[in-house]
Amino acid sequence: MTDPDIHIHELGIDSADDVIDSVAALLRELDGEAEDAGALDRERVLAAWRSRAATVFALAARGPDDSVIGVATVVESFAIYANGHYGVINELVVAPAWRSKGVGRALLQAIYTLGGRRKWSRIDVTAPSSGSERARKFYERDGFTFAGPKLKKYLS
Ligand SMILES: CC(C)(COP(=O)(O)OP(=O)(O)OC[C@H]1O[C@@H](n2cnc3c(N)ncnc32)[C@H](O)[C@@H]1OP(=O)(O)O)[C@@H](O)C(=O)NCCC(=O)NCCS
């Protein structure tokens, strides 16, 4: 049961600093992704977000005092196997003091609502390599099924 004082809403590019700060904190916490955190380039992120504003979505959870206690970024993608447009959760983080209180689940619910509005056929997410068992359990509890590992290659 989520605290009724917790509110989820969409954030526009004007709130990008809040989103970037929350995600940077997450990356610092997840050891395995530390190399990505080290490479964070705020100006580059902002420029990319601005150029794709129609298909980049950020959601924030705010606590009783209106501070940001959780954040999610989701992008709209396309694939034939997905019958067209689908959503990809790229970041989802809840402040440590607020975990296990239903905030993550409330963010997922807001993402499903967004997906319904955008007519996405499905939502994909990659669990982080560190702490992945708990994160995987969190998603599986909400109906996500395992879809294989993810690979990456950096472009210089
Ligand atoms: C995974 C995460 C978003 C879940 O948010 P949340 O608000 O704690 O989620 P809920 O309260 O709705 O559900 C809690 C469940 O999530 C799971 N969970 C996963 N990681 C967890 C963590 N680090 N702390 C607490 N619960 C976690 C547990 O199964 C937990 O169930 P429990 O409370 O019965 O133990 C949050 O724990 C988090 O920010 N973790 C670090 C970042 C991360 O791994 N993000 C996901 C990858 S994109």
Side-chain angles (χ1 to χ4, degrees):
M1 189 71 181
T2 313
D3 187 325
D5 287 336
I6 291 169
H7 301 285
I8 311 285
H9 67 107
E10 269 185 54
L11 292 174
I13 183 115
D14 48 321
S15 304
D17 277 330
D18 278 349
V19 180
I20 294 172
D21 287 344
S22 302
V23 171
L26 160 70
L27 292 177
R28 277 194 297 275
E29 186 191 332
L30 303 174
D31 293 346
E33 272 71 25
E35 60 186 286
D36 293 336
L40 180 62
D41 178 339
R42 200 171 275 261
E43 287 314 307
R44 187 173 168 163
V45 172
L46 284 172
W49 189 341
R50 232 175 257 121
S51 73
R52 302 279 167 87
T55 52
V56 173
F57 303 91
L59 297 156
R62 287 189 190 272
D65 66 354
D66 222 32
S67 62
V68 176
I69 57 171
V71 103
T73 66
V74 190
V75 294
E76 184 167 277
S77 192
F78 166 88
I80 293 167
Y81 65 71
N83 265 327
H85 292 121
Y86 69 105
V88 180
I89 299 172
N90 279 327
E91 283 130 347
L92 175 60
V93 59
V94 171
W98 281 91
R99 288 183 191 163
S100 291
K101 295 179 183 354
V103 179
R105 183 171 242 177
L107 280 164
L108 283 182
Q109 292 296 330
I111 292 168
Y112 304 152
T113 302
L114 167 68
R117 205 173 78 218
R118 302 288 302 176
K119 306 208 182 326
W120 294 340
S121 62
R122 60 187 255 181
I123 295 171
D124 286 12
V125 65
T126 303
S129 47
S130 49
S132 62
E133 269 313 304
R134 292 196 77 183
R136 213 169 121 179
K137 208 173 116 202
F138 164 76
Y139 288 115
E140 285 176 343
R141 188 193 60 186
D142 230 59
F144 284 73
T145 55
F146 187 62
K150 176 175 146 177
L151 291 82
K152 67 183 175 188
K153 176 176 166 59
Y154 287 105
L155 301 177
S156 53

